[in-house]
């Protein structure tokens, strides 16, 4: 049996070659394994099947804004735990874990920047933070982003990516739907453009409030969009749901959104809409 145990010098490397984490990514659309650098170059869209991988808020900001520059606002707002909520984990523990994971205090990044020279107030939701759920901080930050648009008379862009209202804050989360919608009504009265961008997924309380109230609504291809999950709807109405239900394409066919834009064209398409609708204040002209 000895010769089983003997290792010839040089035959077996003592140093195990490690493949760094995240070097390869498996596509959820076609199962192809893609080299991460290729994926990054294609803006995290699968070169084989065009599947749009979900990307975090910082990447979207870099993609959309001029020079990737955002003057951030309201970064110091952090959720409290008014209901002392606990399921399998304490709500406060979930918040701390998400803060560590993302480096942000809550699930939306807001600020001022410009897209193709047009100044915008922008809010970008981050799914990495508790599924992009909307609690009182997200609602408040979105509300303040809308107010910045109203005060400065500049267009508003909100990029949504969310599983809906944050159940750990109960009714306080649901109240954010009314708060943000009421401010958007003020924005509409002032005739200031609001472009809503829907990424995968945009659902529930977020979809049922500010995400669906854009003057122009743009979605990424094949994003999951909707209010309740398909199983709940099926059980409620007692009917089979149509093919492709709750996708961007289905929404567009039924008049709920204006444009489906591939990620590589997103900045260009938003810029087109902004340039069509935005006139700089006269005091800044000439
Ligand atoms: Zn693919």
């Amino acid at each position: 049996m000895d010769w089983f145990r003997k290792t010839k010098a040089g035959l077996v490397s003592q140093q195990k070659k490690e493949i760094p984490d995240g070097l390869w990514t498996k596509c959820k659309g076609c199962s192809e394994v893609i080299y991460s650098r290729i994926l990054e170059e294609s803006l995290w869209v699968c070169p084989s099947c065009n599947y749009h991988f979900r990307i975090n808020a910082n990447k979207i900001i870099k993609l959309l804004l001029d020079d990737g520059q955002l003057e951030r606002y309201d970064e110091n707002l952090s959720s409290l735990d008014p209901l002392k909520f606990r399921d399998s984990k304490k709500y406060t523990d979930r918040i701390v874990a998400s803060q560590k994971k993302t480096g942000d205090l809550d699930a939306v990044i807001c600020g001022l920047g410009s897209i193709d020279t047009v100044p915008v107030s922008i809010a970008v939701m981050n799914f990495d933070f508790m599924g992009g759920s909307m609690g009182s901080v997200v609602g408040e930050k979105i509300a303040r982003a809308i107010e910045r648009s109203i005060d400065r008379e500049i267009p508003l862009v909100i990029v949504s990516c969310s599983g809906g209202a944050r159940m750990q804050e109960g009714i306080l989360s649901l109240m954010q739907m009314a708060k943000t919608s009421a401010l958007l009504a003020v924005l509409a009265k002032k005739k200031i453009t609001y472009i809503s961008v829907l990424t995968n997924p945009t659902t529930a309380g977020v979809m049922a409030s500010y995400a669906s109230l854009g003057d122009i609504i743009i979605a990424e291809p094949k994003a999951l969009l909707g209010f309740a999950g398909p199983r709940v709807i099926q059980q409620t109405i007692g009917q089979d749901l149509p093919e492709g239900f709750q996708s961007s394409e289905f929404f567009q066919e039924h008049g709920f959104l204006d444009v489906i834009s591939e990620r590589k064209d997103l900045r260009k398409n938003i810029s087109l809409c902004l340039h069509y609708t935005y006139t700089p204040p006269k005091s800044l002209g000439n």
Side-chain angles (χ1 to χ4, degrees):
M1 292 296 286
D2 261 353
W3 50 274
F4 274 124
R5 297 197 185 102
K6 274 182 190 164
T7 52
K8 258 188 182 173
L11 199 65
V12 179
S13 166
Q14 294 302 313
Q15 281 181 327
K16 206 175 149 194
K17 280 191 181 164
E18 302 234 330
I19 298 172
D21 262 358
L23 197 58
W24 298 90
T25 308
K26 194 173 177 185
C27 174
K28 286 181 186 165
C30 66
S31 301
E32 187 153 326
V33 179
I34 312 157
Y35 188 40
S36 292
R37 199 162 53 86
I38 304 267
L39 201 55
E40 198 174 332
E41 280 166 9
S42 62
L43 304 173
W44 298 274
V45 174
C46 174
S48 304
C49 73
N50 204 31
Y51 175 81
H52 282 54
F53 285 78
R54 188 183 301 136
I55 56 175
N56 67 32
N58 287 317
K59 284 178 180 149
I60 290 177
I61 288 164
K62 217 170 147 189
L63 180 76
L64 295 185
L65 291 175
D66 293 347
D67 303 319
Q69 290 295 316
L70 176 74
E71 186 189 345
R72 294 185 180 221
Y73 276 74
D74 309 316
E75 282 197 290
N76 55 343
L77 297 183
S78 177
S79 278
L80 299 172
D81 181 17
L83 306 180
K84 305 277 172 264
F85 193 93
R86 182 186 188 125
D87 44 32
S88 57
K89 273 187 203 165
K90 279 187 190 169
Y91 177 37
T92 46
D93 291 346
R94 286 187 193 276
I95 292 175
V96 171
S98 285
Q99 287 174 341
K100 274 188 190 157
K101 185 176 168 194
T102 60
D104 293 309
L105 292 187
D106 216 300
V108 68
I109 296 174
C110 301
L112 298 173
S114 60
I115 296 176
D116 209 4
T117 70
V118 178
V120 290
S121 170
I122 187 167
V124 182
M125 302 193 73
N126 197 0
F127 198 85
D128 288 348
F129 196 110
M130 290 187 73
S133 54
M134 173 182 61
S136 35
V137 167
V138 169
E140 179 62 22
K141 285 177 82 168
I142 296 276
R144 291 185 190 188
I146 302 168
E147 282 173 338
R148 275 192 288 279
S149 272
I150 296 169
D151 293 345
R152 291 170 172 78
E153 296 184 11
I154 55 171
L156 171 72
V157 177
I158 300 179
V159 182
S160 295
C161 187
S162 174
R166 191 174 294 172
M167 63 163 190
Q168 289 88 345
E169 291 187 27
I171 188 73
L172 297 169
S173 298
L174 298 178
M175 281 165 59
Q176 308 310 317
M177 295 169 68
K179 184 165 84 179
T180 50
S181 301
L183 273 168
L184 285 173
V186 177
L187 189 84
K189 265 195 185 155
K190 298 244 175 194
K191 300 194 187 308
I192 299 169
T193 310
Y194 164 34
I195 298 174
S196 175
V197 181
L198 315 178
T199 66
N200 182 36
T202 299
T203 57
V206 168
M207 190 66 202
S209 58
Y210 54 85
S212 57
L213 290 172
D215 297 309
I216 300 161
I217 304 180
I218 303 174
E220 287 198 331
K222 292 186 181 161
L224 171 71
L225 311 174
F227 183 58
R231 197 151 34 95
V232 176
I233 300 173
Q234 215 155 1
Q235 281 166 1
T236 309
I237 63 171
Q239 284 178 18
D240 286 339
L241 297 170
E243 185 82 14
F245 180 67
Q246 294 192 319
S247 65
S248 306
E249 291 70 15
F250 190 89
F251 264 55
Q252 191 183 32
E253 264 172 43
H254 292 80
F256 282 99
L257 65 85
D258 302 292
V259 185
I260 294 177
S261 172
E262 293 198 10
R263 193 168 288 155
K264 65 178 168 54
D265 301 323
L266 196 53
R267 180 178 142 89
K268 189 180 74 187
N269 283 330
I270 295 174
S271 157
L272 265 176
C273 298
L274 290 172
H275 282 281
Y276 270 128
T277 54
Y278 177 68
T279 318
K282 283 203 175 86
S283 55
L284 295 178
N286 303 320

